[in-house]
Amino acid sequence: MEQNKIVIANWKMKRNLAETTALLKEFKAEFKDFGKEDAVICPNFISLLEAKKVFEETKLKLGAQAVFWEDKGSFTGEISATMLTEVGCEYVIVGHSERRQYLLTNYEMIHKKTRAVLRVKGLTPIICIGEQAEDRKSDRRDFILIQQIQQSLAGIEVVKGENIIIAYEPVWAVGAGTTLEPEEAEYAHKIIKLALNDMFGMKTVNESFRIIYGGSINSENVEAFIKEDNLDGFLVGGASLDAKEFKKIVDKVL
Ligand code: PGA
């Protein structure tokens, strides 16, 4: 069975604890009658516990923005997958392009993180892939995407009931204010799906994977993307910092 679409908010490091607490309350109010399962909010680490409390009476799900690949030990500053579930996270972003850029997270690490997340029941990895502007210009995009998929997931066995989200985020479109054409996103998603089918088989891919798009999505431009067949949802940055705007996106997609 194919899965529902999903919309994920990535608040990045854009709000402090007090601001996040206020924002969480706005989301709680905006989503009080929301009855679906597939809207996820990823605040910063220090706000997760507060978010868990505020969202208790809502259907909103909680996600984290990063994770480490070991479960416990001398890894100063890191947070493990099991720790994330303790604060109510059901999702975690793995290898966001900003972490690939500023913290030199590479696909070997993304692979280890993905394995660590899948070991923990009830936690779904949101694996970020996407080409740089130069790759697109030089026609290397397809190759880059296939390589990123293979490096993230090679040798990983996906069993029934496990979920994996692939977020296709062209690096040049993240936070840029411009998206690519929906047809181009659809094409990239098809390439990603073919690569996944090759590795896991179509049945597993249909049952366990969702391929979502991210990069300057808002309540206006999202409509054109929804029409495409292979877009299973969205990862939203900037436009997710406003409860009404994010709700509009969610209402259009879900
Ligand atoms: P954006 O961010 O919507 O602001 O482009 C998306 C992301 O970084 O996930």
Side-chain angles (χ1 to χ4, degrees), residues 18-55:
E19 291 160 345
T20 304
T21 305
L23 194 55
L24 289 167
K25 293 197 177 117
E26 286 170 32
F27 270 67
K28 183 182 171 182
E30 199 61 42
F31 282 80
K32 75 174 174 340
D33 299 321
F34 178 72
K36 303 207 170 129
E37 299 291 331
D38 305 284
V40 182
I41 311 295
C42 304
N44 59 48
F45 282 135
I46 62 159
S47 306
L48 285 170
L49 210 48
E50 182 65 22
K52 182 177 189 252
K53 271 189 251 156
V54 176
F55 287 170

Side-chain angles (χ1 to χ4, degrees), residues 83-147:
M83 291 174 185
L84 293 178
T85 59
E86 282 183 286
V87 286
C89 287
E90 293 175 55
Y91 296 85
V92 56
I93 301 173
V94 178
H96 189 279
S97 60
E98 285 147 15
R99 296 187 70 86
R100 305 204 300 274
Q101 181 180 355
Y102 300 114
L103 295 155
L104 307 186
T105 301
N106 60 34
Y107 279 90
E108 199 186 317
M109 299 177 194
I110 292 172
H111 179 94
K112 290 199 271 185
K113 287 167 189 252
T114 301
R115 270 191 194 280
V117 173
L118 289 173
R119 273 199 298 270
V120 176
K121 209 171 154 28
L123 194 61
T124 297
I126 304 158
I127 304 168
C128 295
I129 64 168
E131 82 285 357
Q132 303 280 348
E134 314 79 87
D135 302 327
R136 180 165 173 258
K137 274 195 218 105
S138 60
D139 241 353
R140 278 167 50 85
R141 180 199 41 214
D142 298 6
F143 169 75
I144 298 280
L145 294 181
I146 293 167
Q147 197 180 44

Side-chain angles (χ1 to χ4, degrees), residues 231-249:
L231 270 65
D232 304 321
F234 299 90
L235 180 53
V236 187
S240 74
L241 289 162
D242 179 303
K244 285 198 178 0
E245 169 71 359
F246 186 69
K247 179 68 166 36
K248 268 194 217 160
I249 299 174

Side-chain angles (χ1 to χ4, degrees), residues 8 10 12 14 93 96-98 128 169 173-177 214-218 235-240:
I8 302 165
N10 176 10
K12 310 193 179 186
K14 294 199 171 179
I93 301 173
H96 189 279
S97 60
E98 285 147 15
C128 295
E169 298 205 304
V174 171
S216 300
I217 283 294
N218 57 44
L235 180 53
V236 187
S240 74

